[in-house]
Amino acid sequence: MTVDEFLVWAEGQPGRYELVDGEVFAMSPERVRHAEVKASAYLALRSALNRTQFPCRALPDGMSVRIDDTTVHEPDALVYCGARADPDATEIPNPVIVVEVLSPSTVAVDSGRKLSGYFSVASVAHYLMIDPVKRLVIHHARGTEGLIETRIASEGTLDLTPPGMSLSVAELFADLPPPADPAA
């Protein structure tokens, strides 16, 4: 199946799916922690964009990102810049930031195939992998000469240039209860 065929097919299906090398994969049900961090990531990105004057928008999960003719992923959140997307679109062709919230069943795919796939999209400048259990962010950024630079952060601020915004790590976990005190 091609991405174009998949996007037409998926629109009429219950549940969520991704296409990898022409093969359809159902996405697993989510845990509450995953959904809360996914929502926090979207809201944090939107809030960070609101602090700028950039013509960029954050979107929650549900949007497709085409990797090639036979692969399309659905990140947990994304940011794109430029003209507003068609309100009926299901695909964002020019994401600048893509976010995946890690889960035990997806960590290998998110840190392998999706990492290389997202950076094969010319517009992608940042790929944030959020670990909701360890409360850290693995920030992959397209650096100079096309090299991918990686930073692991459990606190502080992420520099997301382009488009030129900053985002605190704490904002990404705003919807989670405080971590349990290991000394208790």
Side-chain angles (χ1 to χ4, degrees):
M1 187 180 288
T2 67
V3 169
D4 291 331
E5 293 166 336
F6 169 79
L7 291 174
V8 170
W9 171 85
E11 203 165 330
Q13 302 300 313
R16 296 174 43 218
Y17 300 88
E18 289 187 326
L19 183 71
V20 178
D21 296 328
E23 188 176 345
V24 176
F25 289 89
M27 297 175 77
S28 300
E30 297 176 345
R31 297 178 193 277
V32 169
R33 176 178 28 234
H34 187 99
E36 288 177 338
V37 172
K38 186 167 63 171
S40 287
Y42 161 68
L43 293 172
L45 289 167
R46 196 173 95 181
S47 177
L49 283 170
N50 287 340
R51 293 188 295 264
T52 74
Q53 297 300 313
F54 302 120
C56 302
R57 290 172 181 76
L59 293 173
D61 70 327
M63 295 292 98
S64 296
V65 174
R66 183 184 305 245
I67 304 304
D68 57 35
D69 290 340
T70 61
T71 301
V72 65
H73 296 308
E74 188 179 302
D76 290 323
L78 62 79
V79 169
Y80 73 97
C81 298
R84 184 180 291 272
D86 178 329
D88 292 323
T90 59
E91 178 182 1
I92 298 299
N94 58 340
V96 177
I97 302 167
V98 290
V99 177
E100 294 285 358
V101 177
L102 302 177
S103 66
S105 64
T106 66
V107 67
V109 170
D110 292 343
S111 60
R113 182 174 65 232
K114 285 189 179 182
L115 172 63
S116 62
Y118 283 135
F119 279 110
S120 72
V121 177
S123 62
V124 172
H126 305 276
Y127 175 34
L128 305 178
M129 295 171 32
I130 303 173
D131 186 325
V133 175
K134 295 180 182 175
R135 293 181 187 239
L136 59 81
V137 180
I138 304 168
H139 175 198
H140 301 286
R142 192 182 305 270
T144 58
E145 301 176 25
L147 297 175
I148 306 304
E149 300 169 354
T150 301
R151 175 180 173 217
I152 300 172
S154 58
E155 58 186 27
T157 302
L158 304 175
D159 176 21
L160 300 173
T161 303
M165 60 188 230
S166 61
L167 176 69
S168 90
V169 172
E171 286 179 272
L172 295 170
F173 301 101
D175 284 341
L176 288 181
D181 183 357

